[in-house]
Amino acid sequence: MKRDFIAFSGLLLAVHFAVLADDAQPDPIQVKQGKPEFEQYLARLQQQVSPLGFDPQWLSQQFADVKRFKKVTPVASSLDTYPAQTLEQFLPNRFTQSDIDAAATALQDHASLLQQLQQEYGIQPRFLVALWAVAGNLSRADSAYPLLSVTSSLAYEGELAEDEVIAALRLLQNEQFDKHSLVALRDASIAGSGFSASQLVRYGRDGDHDGVIDHQRSVADILASYAFFLSKHGWNAEQIWGRQVTLPEDLSGRLGMEYQAGFEYWQNAGIRRFNGDDLPRRTDIQASLLQPDGQKGRAYLVYDNYRALLAWQDDHYFALSVSYLSERVKAVSR
């Protein structure tokens, strides 16, 4: 999700909360009261989740606070426009120089923390910062709303799985999570980091060791959660994400993430680095050949770390955005 980037101050900015209260001034994307159908849906949902280990009185209190959240105008996103573009057009315009500078500044400002996380989880700092920038907008201020209201409303509209409502309840129930920080953007992603509720249940980590997981006020918690997620999806500390390559006109190699082979295989198939040099001689990497835009588009050999990025969002434009930004941050930080 793309928003206009501003110069990063090195401090985590507070998220602006929009209170979904009956006496509040209505926001364009809210309604004051849920329609009867929504109330009936909440009653059914409460009955459905009640046997899942929630205290009935506590559960009633949580659902009593839910207000109907209605998306009127979708949030603009650069990723929304990519079907009409190719990577050749998309990637060079995905980030402004200010975006790249902000990520590079974050890399410097949190260098000590990032090094600690690299030692613990094996994730290179530039990739954590790039994921934070793409998925969480470096935690810069944006409007956010109570998580249970957003997930319940989107589930009611059929735009979100009800499992995400259950995950939101798990987070609210868990004393390790700061309840005031459990706010979401319009698509139900956690404000500050971009985790879904179910992802945060599984991968949330207390990076600053204060006993609370807070994705609004703690950069350490956010980055530790990213690092844990990537490590659990097979990130290899000895590899990068992949590389852009050139192809021969008579390519005989197999395309797609389903097929992996070593550099020797791809070298013999006529594939070369983007500058025309031979591929690396390493024998410890298995790579897949991708052409997301078809035969006339860019070509990439991608490794296991790229697969870890796809585990976050199964979309090549997303994974390549994170990969591309990591390379730009690396170049700026030299």
Side-chain angles (χ1 to χ4, degrees):
M1 55 194 76
K2 182 177 179 182
R3 306 165 197 88
D4 292 337
F5 278 45
I6 59 174
F8 186 63
S9 66
L11 296 175
L12 185 64
L13 299 182
V15 173
H16 297 295
F17 299 97
V19 179
L20 301 179
D22 289 345
D23 58 351
Q25 293 297 318
D27 185 278
I29 59 173
Q30 302 172 34
V31 293
K32 280 189 175 182
Q33 295 178 341
K35 293 184 294 186
E37 294 86 350
F38 181 60
E39 294 173 354
Q40 293 170 4
Y41 172 76
L42 290 181
R44 181 193 67 77
L45 190 58
Q46 180 177 341
Q47 185 178 20
Q48 178 181 324
V49 303
S50 182
L52 301 180
F54 299 106
D55 176 76
Q57 184 176 357
W58 177 87
L59 198 60
S60 296
Q61 292 174 345
Q62 301 308 309
F63 277 105
D65 292 336
V66 170
K67 298 294 185 292
R68 175 76 183 281
F69 175 94
K70 185 175 181 181
K71 294 196 306 180
V72 176
T73 304
V75 180
S77 168
S78 63
L79 291 177
D80 294 336
T81 64
Y82 75 72
Q85 302 183 51
T86 66
L87 287 165
E88 201 67 41
Q89 301 160 331
F90 175 81
L91 279 180
N93 297 301
R94 174 64 177 88
F95 305 100
T96 66
Q97 188 59 48
S98 294
D99 300 341
I100 297 166
D101 291 342
T105 298
L107 187 68
Q108 296 174 352
D109 289 345
H110 303 290
S112 178
L113 168 64
L114 289 163
Q115 289 298 326
Q116 293 174 18
L117 294 174
Q118 183 175 17
Q119 292 176 4
E120 184 173 357
Y121 295 104
I123 317 297
Q124 302 93 314
R126 64 186 173 105
F127 291 104
L128 288 179
V129 169
L131 180 58
W132 185 21
V134 176
N137 194 27
L138 296 177
S139 300
R140 283 170 290 196
D142 202 347
S143 294
Y145 310 89
L147 177 63
L148 189 58
S149 288
V150 178
T151 53
S152 297
S153 298
L154 292 181
Y156 170 68
E157 296 292 344
E159 298 181 19
L160 192 71
E162 290 183 350
D163 286 348
E164 292 299 318
V165 182
I166 298 172
L169 289 167
R170 297 287 187 206
L171 292 171
L172 290 165
Q173 183 188 47
N174 190 333
E175 295 182 356
Q176 192 176 13
F177 291 91
D178 181 82
K179 306 302 181 288
H180 299 293
S181 72
L182 291 174
V183 291
L185 303 182
R186 299 180 187 185
D187 62 355
S189 62
I190 302 296
S193 65
F195 276 86
S196 67
S198 57
Q199 285 177 327
L200 191 57
V201 168
R202 293 193 297 270
Y203 304 108
R205 283 297 176 270
D206 179 15
D208 55 16
H209 307 294
D210 65 351
V212 175
I213 299 174
D214 182 349
H215 279 205
Q216 301 308 309
R217 304 172 188 84
S218 175
V219 173
D221 290 358
I222 292 172
L223 294 178
S225 300
Y226 286 143
F228 184 65
F229 176 93
L230 292 175
S231 70
K232 287 299 182 181
H233 285 90
W235 191 274
N236 189 326
E238 303 301 321
Q239 299 179 12
I240 56 173
W241 62 274
R243 64 180 66 245
Q244 189 176 358
V245 294
T246 61
L247 308 180
E249 293 184 2
D250 58 344
L251 176 68
S252 60
R254 296 170 59 181
L255 287 167
M257 295 298 293
E258 298 79 13
Y259 183 75
Q260 293 179 282
F263 285 130
E264 183 178 6
Y265 171 86
W266 298 117
Q267 177 77 18
N268 292 336
I271 296 174
R272 299 293 182 269
R273 298 177 194 241
F274 188 67
N275 65 3
D277 290 346
D278 288 344
L279 295 175
R281 296 181 180 275
R282 292 179 61 170
T283 59
D284 61 332
I285 293 178
Q286 293 290 297
S288 296
L289 179 61
L290 298 182
Q291 285 188 283
D293 295 326
Q295 293 183 353
K296 295 184 179 180
R298 292 188 177 195
Y300 298 90
L301 283 178
V302 297
Y303 317 149
D304 286 340
N305 290 350
Y306 185 87
R307 294 174 185 275
L309 295 175
L310 287 180
W312 179 276
Q313 181 174 322
D314 190 14
D315 184 289
H316 291 302
Y317 275 61
F318 168 82
L320 287 169
S321 293
V322 176
S323 303
Y324 177 82
L325 183 58
S326 75
E327 297 295 340
R328 296 300 304 273
V329 168
K330 178 181 177 181
V332 169
S333 302
R334 284 174 178 170

